Each structure stands twice: as C-alpha cells, then as structure tokens.
Amino acid sequence: MEELWSDVDDYFDHELAQPDAVLDHALAASADAGLPPISVTPTQGKFLQLLATMNRARRILELGTLGGYSTIWMGRALPADGELLSLEIDPSHAAVARHNIARAGLDDRVTVVLGPATETMAKLVADGVKPFDLIFIDADKPLIDEYFARSLELSKAGTVIVVDNVVRKGEVINDESEDASVRGVRRLIDSLSHETRVSCTAMQSVGSKGYDGFILAVVKGT
Ligand code: SAH
Ligand code: DHB
Ligand code: MG
C-alpha cells in the first residue's frame, strides 16, 4: 500500500503542480547537506500554501525549519510586505534553509530564528509581537502540546494553527505508548478535548511519507 500511496502522490504532484526548480533545489541541497528527508510532501506544501492564501495571511510562524521546504511553500503566499518567522534549533539546518530561502527570493520576508522554539516563542510573547495569521507546528514532537499552548498566545480570532505528524502510523490511539512523541501528541489531544478557544479537527493522511495526519485549528472570536 505504501507504494500505491506514493504513486498517487506523484500523480497528483505531476498533474497539478508546475515544475519548480527552486523547490527541487531546496530538497536536493537539503539532501546534499545530510538533512533527514522529513520535509512536507509537495501536495502537503501546496495545502499549507492554500491555507495561507485562504486566510489572507500576512504573518506566518513556523516551528521547525529544516531546509526551508515548507517555509518556501508558505512564504510564497505572503504579500510583498508580509512576514514569516521560522524557528529552528539546529544551526546547520538553519544555514541550509537560509540558502534555499534566498534562492527562492523570499529573504526579504522570511527570517529563520535560531534557538529552541520554546525560548523564541516566549521572547515573541514578551516582546508583544503582532499575532500571526497562520502557525505551522512541525518541530520536535515531545513538546507539541507546549508549542500549541504558546501558539495561542501569539494568535488572534481567525488564526489558523496546523500541527503536523499527529497520527504517527496510528500510534496516537495507543494509550500505553512510551514513545515521547506519541505521548506529546496525546497530551495535546487531551488538552484540545476541553480547549474552548479553538475550533479544531484532525485529518489522517497517506502519501509519499506514509501514514500520518495533522490537526487543523482555528482560533475563535471573543
Ligand atoms: N517544516 C519542515 C520540516 C521540519 S523537521 C518542512 O516540512 O520542510 C523538524 C525540524 O525541527 C528539524 O529541523 C529540527 O532540527 C527542528 N527542531 C527540533 N527541535 C527543535 C526545537 N526545540 N526548537 C526548534 N526547532 C527544533
Ligand atoms: C519526523 C519529523 C517530521 O516533522 C515529519 O513530518 C516526519 C518525521 C521525524 O522527526 O522523524
Ligand atoms: Mg512534519
């Protein structure tokens, strides 16, 4: 089945997307630098871009930059005076991403901020930055619940929050899992089960990255 999921992803990508040398280069440069092949897929990248467009995003926050592949997809939805902050803990990942983002012509709008996402987010809250229109949570999964809580502090009514990798081949329903990522996701789902500030759902997905899924949340009006 995994091969079929991947073939269908390739088919949709081939039929529905234009050839894109910048995105291809971003993946190749990431692979050459030894980064793990865990970027979003092309169809997921386009999905994120469409969410940004649908929400007329002017300010985007990303947790987990890697080589900047998802960053470029979302950054392309920004107007010329828009801004995307992408938080990354690994200096070598950030260096590859900055190169890829510059090559995409997005370095005027996109900033990669080096450091642990919790610390950078705390600083953004303390600095009183303007709320974001779209937040993509895709950093280390054991802290995923904390990232969501912090994201709410950087949101306003209408902010869209997407959380990647919440199905984990179905392990999300294993309440005895000792995997720190699964436990992090389960803490997040538990807190969302009584979170009144957002309207949310979770979608399972299959494709060239196997079986996983994401949470989609929209921050409610007050
Ligand atoms: N969003 C990227 C993939 C991100 S992979 C894409 O789809 O193209 C996850 C990234 O999160 C890795 O680069 C990893 O170094 C980074 N990361 C891990 N722990 C982190 C932390 N505590 N703070 C910020 N980034 C972190
Ligand atoms: C991993 C991280 C991701 O964000 C992802 O989409 C897939 C895998 C990982 O750390 O293995
Ligand atoms: Mg991910």
Side-chain angles (χ1 to χ4, degrees), residues 38-40 44 136-139 141 164-165 209 212:
I38 55 175
S39 306
V40 293
Q44 290 168 344
F136 179 45
I137 301 177
D138 195 25
K141 316 308 171 189
D164 199 20
N165 311 116
K209 279 179 79 181
D212 213 327

